[in-house]
Amino acid sequence: MAAGIVARTAHFALHRMPSEQSSIGVVVPKRWAKRAVTRNTIKRQVYSVSEAAQLAPAAYIVRLRTGFDRVQFISATSEPLKRAVRGELVQLFARAAA
């Protein structure tokens, strides 16, 4: 993460370290996603969206930097939460590819 932030959205930051092979890691701290179900849902979304992204070969880390509002997203695996996460991740990877 010392390489710096390549792109960010309201909830996520994308870090990139030069590398010959492509890899992706995800950091979802308990501080921002208290329930394990939510953390795992976010991780699955990151891996799913990253497969479709057109990124240069490098080591990437997606970091959750703020939590999603538990009042707005009551269920840990609700469809609105999944759509919000996926929408932000698409924006994040589009900004990184540009």
Side-chain angles (χ1 to χ4, degrees):
M1 291 204 266
I5 296 174
V6 176
R8 73 175 60 175
T9 61
H11 292 94
F12 295 99
L14 180 67
H15 300 266
R16 177 176 51 202
M17 178 75 99
S19 175
E20 294 178 10
Q21 296 180 347
S22 290
S23 63
I24 187 143
V26 184
V27 177
V28 182
K30 284 184 183 179
R31 177 181 184 182
W32 300 123
K34 303 272 187 225
R35 296 178 272 189
V37 175
T38 304
R39 291 192 303 274
N40 291 332
T41 299
I42 291 171
K43 289 177 188 178
R44 282 190 213 104
Q45 292 289 326
V46 170
Y47 292 129
S48 174
V49 172
S50 69
E51 288 178 1
Q54 302 287 331
L55 299 174
Y60 294 94
I61 296 177
V62 177
R63 179 175 53 94
L64 181 65
R65 39 187 226 120
T66 60
F68 285 89
D69 186 20
R70 288 182 72 177
V71 173
Q72 183 179 0
F73 303 107
I74 297 169
S75 173
T77 58
S78 66
E79 286 302 316
L81 176 63
K82 289 179 183 179
R83 281 194 301 272
V85 169
R86 182 172 282 277
E88 277 199 40
L89 290 171
V90 167
Q91 289 177 356
L92 185 74
F93 287 115
R95 290 177 186 170

